[in-house]
Amino acid sequence: MTSIGTGYDLSASTYSPDGRIFQVEYANKAVENSGQDLSHSTAIGLRVKDGIILAVEKLVHSKLLIPEANRRIQTLDRHLGLATAGLLADGRQLANRARDESANFRDSFRSPAPVKYIADRLGSYIQVYTLYSSVRPFGISTIIGGVDQNGPSLFVIEPSGVFFGYHGAAVGKGRQLAKTELEKLKLSDLSMRQAVLEAARIIYLVHDDSKEKTFELEMSWVGNDTNGLHVPVPKDLLSEAEQKAKAALEDFE
Amino acid sequence: MDHFPTNWGRPRNDGFDAYGTYPIAQRPYNGLGNDVFSEGVQRTQQPIVTGTSVLAIKYKDGVMMSADNLASYGSLARFKDVQRLHPVGNNTIIGAGGDMSDFQYIQALLDDLMVEEFTEQDGHALGPGEIHEYLSQVMYARRSKMDPLWNSLIVGGVQDGKRFLSYVDLLGTTYSASTLATGYGSYIAQPLLRKAVEGNEDVITEEEAVKILEQSMKVLFYRDARSLNKYQIAKITGDGVAISESRSVDTHWSFADGIRGYGAQTQ
Amino acid sequence: MFRNTYDSDNTVFSPQGRLHQVEYALEAVKQGSAAVGLRSKTHSILLALKRSTGELASYQQKMFRIDDHVGIAIAGLTSDARVLSNFMRQQAMSSKMAFNRPVPVNRLVSAIADKAQVNTQEYGRRPYGVGFLVIGRDQSGPHLYEFSPSGNSYEYYAMSIGARSQSAKTYLEKHYESFADCSLEDLIKHGLHALRETLQQDKDLNVNNTSIGIVGAPSAHEKTTNVSFRILEGETIQPFLDTMVPKDAPAAAPAPPASADEDVQMAE
């Protein structure tokens, strides 16, 4: 890499001569292959007619871990969920900030915060960490989804602080393949249950069996089927989705 | 002589530069808010829009509560569709008498708390016991700042299969009993509730519990000039919380005709 | 002298997106003597190996009580552990104060994990140099968590941290499926066997170098009815040591005195 050893890549507050901020680019690397917590996994989000589905490929780094106890998808408010790829601890930090933002909005206006408002606030928050040498950027790509007065909406925030709305979003290591799969779906026509099955299938598909450790599928949803609450996908539906995903994978191969 | 007419007639203030010896930029401000009381802070001295009694009893299946729908502005029956029973989570209800704006603030406080709790998604929920402890800390902290939330609150619910019923007020005072009543109800309804409930907590059925509360609400409506014959009943059982639609009881006022000070005055 | 350009500052990503200072902090945990934690349906326990600097010195404390229902075992910088455990105690007390509720153990662990994360992102700090095993019991039963300086925390059936903890982990991975239904005595026995794996060849566990932390109903060997967190040390652990299967090495000598402990000493 041309950046190494030039001295222009040691601080977020330094541009390289060609106008790049290498520390932010390195943060993007952390999203894909973070060394410490082995969380080089994929997260996806689906925005369908009646709600949002979030799903993550949670790599299991030890068989001593208690299944389902270590959750990767976080709840920000009754109607908001967040999934990250990258440094796990950064994801928790961001979620705490998001909860504060959402609570502040509630205190000011006595109504649930719009998803876009939270995405906007978090984007600005993350951007600040790209300005100074005294901090490092966030090593995470974030999917935030929820249902507000305008229906379901879904956003992705990158380590640079930029955010975009999506119908189907994928972040982390397997995002390219996941995006290709998401593009094949008629997302706006799917029911929430159908979307859960598709999400499971995509996560199983992008998981690289040959290189990676075993993984656990974690899914959450928010929308009409959940009374507008962001909650984990119930166990029976989750295992049905897993079964179908495995079957589809065998057909695929 | 004070040459500034705007200051004439105001209380004397030795801090004021009566002879204009300072340049304008540094002249002490002598307008309102700079007298000997200016450092003072006014605290809540009284409730403004108020709710009256809340009643609560334990019965066989859980806890039952009632409160009417009136919020009074002094002696004026100002709002007639106020709900004073408020669910918190899936197994707690709080009922409030006293200042209704303070009660709305408390509802917001508890809503924030329940959102925080929900976002943890770890299976730990706040039950009536925790909510009551939290409220008592808030109420006591506020009264210790000489700025109380002007309410009497009853917290009822079911936790770990046990009935919970407890009281907390603007002083931070707490107590528990199998019958509770706030405000006027603590004088008028409480003896009736005790007579009906004490010792029978495990045998009173839902229908009987409703009857006991209906009877007490009726007596309160006859006797309490700040009450309304439109009230709700809430029950909390192992299955969750339910708050009824507004309802009323039959009352008869023919007896009032001959009693001076009770019915309409003809002379 | 640096290993590379990107490892002297915790606010700098390496070109691969790694945080070297955090990785080095994880190494500090491995400098400390080992601790092991296990969980059954009814109990969570901790076992730790204590070191002393010499015959005249006492053994370094490895376990701390946080609240009636929570305790920790540490590996790494003890002074960092004291800061974090004080914070945990404050959290526990404030939960008691505000809600009259023992703080849920997962929230306690998340609270220190979130605190540790800040030290991996902001200038002028270093990541904490200590790892914890946290055990506790709350509404949802007994728990075991690992906390590490990277700001991560995980819940496990069984786990070990500290020097040569990999050997203990290997033992735990072999046996963990049986832990759920273990009696407290059997669970401690498994814990002692796992902890023994972290010792050097000529060493053994003894009443001086071993601590046991327990939450849950007492064992027959304990003279208590206490179900809350307690630390067993000294003679009280002899009955548990006696349950161990002796190492199959025939030349297994009786435990040498503490002065002979040649474990790596941490720079404090």
Side-chain angles (χ1 to χ4, degrees):
Chain A
M1 203 179 285
T2 54
S3 55
I4 299 170
T6 59
Y8 293 112
D9 65 344
L10 293 171
S11 159
S13 67
T14 307
Y15 282 109
S16 76
D18 53 352
R20 293 159 67 179
I21 302 170
F22 283 114
Q23 275 295 308
V24 175
E25 295 184 19
Y26 297 170
N28 280 299
K29 290 274 183 207
V31 174
E32 282 175 40
N33 45 347
S34 129
Q36 312 127 44
D37 55 14
L38 304 156
S39 63
H40 34 116
S41 53
T42 311
I44 62 172
L46 283 72
R47 175 186 148 175
V48 294
K49 202 169 50 199
D50 302 324
I52 298 284
I53 282 82
L54 298 176
V56 297
E57 166 209 18
K58 190 163 63 183
L59 296 174
V60 179
H61 64 262
S62 162
K63 60 179 176 181
L64 295 172
L65 279 168
I66 295 180
E68 290 162 39
N70 301 286
R71 299 197 66 85
R72 281 286 303 276
I73 301 177
Q74 309 192 68
T75 303
L76 309 178
D77 200 325
R78 289 199 180 96
H79 63 301
L80 293 173
L82 171 145
T84 55
L87 304 182
L88 208 58
D90 284 19
R92 291 191 47 85
Q93 175 75 15
L94 188 71
N96 285 334
R97 173 68 185 211
R99 289 181 188 123
D100 289 349
E101 292 287 355
S102 194
N104 284 342
F105 188 96
R106 218 174 249 284
D107 279 347
S108 301
F109 303 109
R110 277 292 127 215
S111 76
V115 186
K116 189 179 179 184
Y117 171 84
I118 297 297
D120 190 338
R121 295 291 299 181
L122 291 185
S124 304
Y125 179 66
I126 287 174
Q127 189 269 149
V128 170
Y129 282 75
T130 68
L131 289 174
Y132 306 102
S133 61
S134 55
V135 290
R136 62 166 173 81
F138 278 87
I140 46 172
S141 282
T142 308
I143 302 178
I144 170 167
V147 175
D148 56 30
Q149 285 179 322
N150 303 314
S153 52
L154 185 69
F155 291 90
V156 169
I157 317 173
E158 303 291 351
S160 62
V162 71
F163 74 99
F164 293 112
Y166 287 88
H167 282 283
V171 295
K173 198 159 181 240
R175 67 181 181 283
Q176 282 309 340
L177 183 51
K179 275 180 186 169
T180 313
E181 286 300 313
L182 284 166
E183 280 165 11
K184 292 180 192 162
L185 300 173
K186 286 284 283 175
L187 283 164
S188 48
D189 293 346
L190 292 183
S191 74
M192 286 180 72
R193 286 184 73 90
Q194 286 169 323
V196 164
L197 303 183
E198 294 295 347
R201 185 181 62 76
I202 293 172
I203 291 291
Y204 268 83
L205 188 70
V206 300
H207 177 73
D208 189 348
D209 256 339
S210 57
K211 279 195 227 135
E212 287 160 356
K213 300 160 192 267
T214 54
F215 81 105
E216 195 180 297
L217 171 67
E218 181 180 332
M219 288 202 284
S220 72
W221 57 350
V222 45
N224 288 359
D225 293 20
T226 69
N227 276 327
L229 297 180
H230 177 255
V231 288
V233 168
K235 268 202 179 124
D236 50 342
L237 179 56
L238 185 68
S239 49
E240 181 193 333
E242 277 180 320
Q243 231 122 62
K244 291 198 170 144
K246 280 178 202 162
L249 200 58
E250 275 161 30
D251 291 347
F252 186 79
E253 282 162 355
Chain B
M1 172 66 195
D2 187 342
H3 301 282
F4 296 96
T6 49
N7 289 332
W8 296 347
R10 295 190 184 284
R12 178 180 161 161
N13 184 340
D14 289 336
F16 173 61
D17 170 31
Y19 298 97
T21 56
Y22 290 89
I24 285 174
Q26 293 165 30
R27 195 160 294 159
Y29 173 66
N30 197 36
L32 277 178
N34 200 27
D35 61 20
V36 288
F37 299 110
S38 65
E39 304 259 295
V41 176
Q42 285 221 351
R43 315 278 181 167
T44 307
Q45 306 266 334
Q46 58 182 347
I48 309 295
V49 175
T50 59
T52 182
S53 323
V54 182
L55 309 181
I57 57 174
K58 288 185 183 173
Y59 71 107
K60 190 158 69 74
D61 309 325
V63 170
M64 201 175 276
M65 280 164 103
S66 65
D68 68 25
N69 294 115
L70 180 67
S72 309
Y73 180 64
S75 61
L76 172 71
R78 182 67 182 82
F79 303 103
K80 296 184 178 181
D81 55 357
V82 171
Q83 193 181 107
R84 298 196 288 122
L85 300 172
H86 176 69
V88 183
N90 296 325
N91 42 23
T92 308
I93 284 185
I94 63 170
D99 192 278
M100 285 297 104
S101 61
D102 281 353
F103 178 49
Q104 286 171 350
Y105 169 76
I106 288 169
Q107 288 176 44
L109 214 55
L110 290 173
D111 190 45
D112 285 351
L113 188 67
M114 295 315 279
V115 169
E116 251 179 63
E117 199 70 14
F118 174 80
T119 60
E120 293 281 349
Q121 292 277 319
D122 59 5
H124 293 278
L126 293 174
E130 285 85 26
I131 303 232
H132 177 261
E133 181 69 26
Y134 174 77
L135 283 175
S136 67
Q137 294 292 345
V138 170
M139 299 301 267
Y140 179 68
R142 288 294 295 261
R143 91 96 205 228
S144 298
K145 282 199 268 183
M146 297 293 277
D147 191 15
L149 294 168
W150 214 286
N151 298 103
S152 343
L153 303 166
I154 291 177
V155 181
V158 175
Q159 190 161 29
D160 305 327
K162 281 204 208 111
R163 294 166 298 204
F164 179 96
L165 188 54
S166 211
Y167 166 95
V168 57
D169 64 16
L170 72 167
L171 301 175
T173 310
T174 63
Y175 61 87
S176 289
S178 52
T179 69
L180 287 176
T182 74
Y184 219 89
S186 65
Y187 303 107
I188 291 195
Q190 183 69 302
L192 305 171
L193 298 176
R194 281 180 184 157
K195 195 172 171 198
V197 173
E198 277 186 356
N200 303 320
E201 294 88 348
D202 297 327
V203 289
I204 295 173
T205 63
E206 185 178 326
E207 291 73 29
E208 288 166 342
V210 170
K211 279 235 174 63
I212 293 167
L213 288 179
E214 271 178 352
Q215 181 61 30
S216 303
M217 290 308 280
K218 183 193 275 196
V219 172
L220 279 172
F221 179 58
Y222 275 124
R223 297 285 175 180
D224 179 0
R226 304 285 168 270
S227 68
L228 189 67
N229 190 10
K230 183 184 169 197
Y231 63 93
Q232 286 168 289
I233 288 185
K235 63 168 182 174
I236 313 99
T237 63
D239 298 331
V241 300
I243 300 177
S244 77
E245 292 294 304
S246 293
R247 52 168 86 185
S248 54
V249 282
D250 290 334
T251 51
H252 304 280
W253 294 90
S254 51
F255 72 91
D257 254 2
I259 303 174
R260 187 176 163 76
Y262 216 133
Q265 299 307 300
T266 50
Q267 50 162 3
Chain C
M1 190 213 75
F2 297 110
R3 208 180 285 179
N4 66 56
T5 329
Y6 305 94
D7 72 348
S8 58
D9 201 333
N10 60 350
T11 62
V12 174
F13 277 114
S14 80
Q16 291 76 39
R18 290 166 61 179
L19 294 169
H20 289 280
Q21 275 296 306
V22 174
E23 291 175 26
Y24 297 169
L26 295 170
E27 292 300 316
V29 177
K30 293 184 195 157
Q31 297 282 326
S33 62
V36 173
L38 300 86
R39 190 190 94 168
S40 73
K41 276 182 191 156
T42 53
H43 291 82
S44 291
I45 62 164
L46 293 170
L47 304 99
L49 188 63
K50 292 181 288 186
R51 285 177 185 153
S52 85
T53 48
E55 234 173 316
L56 297 176
S58 65
Y59 282 82
Q60 179 77 263
Q61 190 185 354
K62 289 284 284 179
M63 280 184 202
F64 298 87
R65 178 180 165 281
I66 303 300
D67 197 349
D68 282 343
H69 66 303
V70 184
I72 61 170
I74 66 160
L77 302 179
T78 307
S79 45
D80 283 16
R82 293 173 60 83
V83 170
L84 286 167
S85 59
N86 274 335
F87 176 75
M88 291 170 87
R89 286 176 182 152
Q90 280 170 21
Q91 295 284 306
M93 293 321 287
S94 85
S95 177
K96 270 201 178 140
M97 172 86 180
F99 301 113
N100 190 25
R101 166 175 79 172
V103 67
V105 188
N106 64 307
R107 296 189 192 176
L108 199 53
V109 179
S110 297
I112 53 168
D114 293 349
K115 208 171 151 65
Q117 190 277 344
V118 178
N119 291 24
T120 73
Q121 197 172 21
E122 294 182 4
Y123 180 78
R125 305 165 190 258
R126 60 164 171 79
Y128 289 109
V130 70
F132 287 179
L133 290 178
V134 182
I135 59 166
R137 224 160 71 126
D138 55 30
Q139 285 170 16
S140 51
H143 298 284
L144 165 69
Y145 294 90
E146 182 201 1
F147 152 80
S148 75
S150 60
N152 289 327
S153 61
Y154 295 103
E155 183 169 12
Y156 291 102
Y157 292 116
M159 191 30 69
S160 62
I161 57 172
R164 286 186 288 281
S165 58
Q166 188 53 49
S167 316
K169 222 171 284 175
T170 308
Y171 177 93
L172 295 172
E173 281 172 4
K174 207 160 130 192
H175 297 278
Y176 77 100
E177 276 157 329
S178 66
F179 294 167
D181 297 311
C182 270
S183 67
L184 176 56
E185 289 77 12
D186 288 346
L187 200 63
I188 292 177
K189 189 168 138 188
H190 276 303
L192 289 168
H193 282 164
L195 189 62
R196 185 169 64 182
E197 298 291 318
T198 72
L199 291 168
Q200 285 168 337
Q201 203 64 54
D202 55 335
K203 304 282 167 46
D204 214 341
L205 298 176
N206 61 47
V207 293
N208 295 316
N209 68 7
T210 310
S211 290
I212 304 177
I214 306 170
V215 273
S219 140
H221 300 313
E222 294 179 73
K223 292 187 193 74
T224 177
T225 55
N226 198 1
V227 297
S228 51
F229 179 77
R230 59 223 180 253
I231 299 170
L232 307 185
E233 286 177 318
E235 289 306 323
T236 54
I237 65 167
Q238 190 59 53
F240 297 105
L241 292 174
D242 292 342
T243 65
M244 290 173 71
V245 181
K247 277 201 239 183
D248 43 17
S259 55
D261 196 323
E262 286 160 9
D263 278 356
V264 186
Q265 290 296 323
M266 277 175 354
E268 295 292 334

